Amino acid sequence: MKAVWYERTGAAPDVLTFGDMPTPMAGPGEVRVRLEASGVNPPMSAAAPAAYRALEFPRVIPNSDGAGNRRSTR
């Protein structure tokens, strides 16, 4: 899958990376949703420069909007 992520804090243009990563599998109690498009909004990219706090995870994929199409399983 294609994704944007950061693994360290700093200015968004310096730390945001775009590329391929493995498609995750859903675990117990989770669902996987197919997105056709996803957006990184300014508030999400502003979290990258937050050097005053530690990252919550080793890799952060900022995302707050997603779009796709719902497909019938009938």
Side-chain angles (χ1 to χ4, degrees), residues 2-29:
K2 299 284 187 195
V4 172
W5 69 87
Y6 59 93
E7 298 173 332
R8 60 187 172 87
T9 58
D14 296 333
V15 300
L16 290 177
T17 301
F18 172 75
D20 290 306
M21 57 179 20
T23 300
M25 299 302 295

Side-chain angles (χ1 to χ4, degrees), residues 2-4 7 9 11-13 16 20-21 24 26 28 33-34 36 38 40 42 44 51 53 62-65 70 74:
K2 299 284 187 195
V4 172
E7 298 173 332
T9 58
L16 290 177
D20 290 306
M21 57 179 20
V33 177
R34 178 189 303 256
E36 297 295 327
S38 177
V40 178
M44 298 300 289
R53 67 174 204 233
N63 175 32
S64 59
D65 294 322
R70 192 170 94 184
R74 291 191 267 165

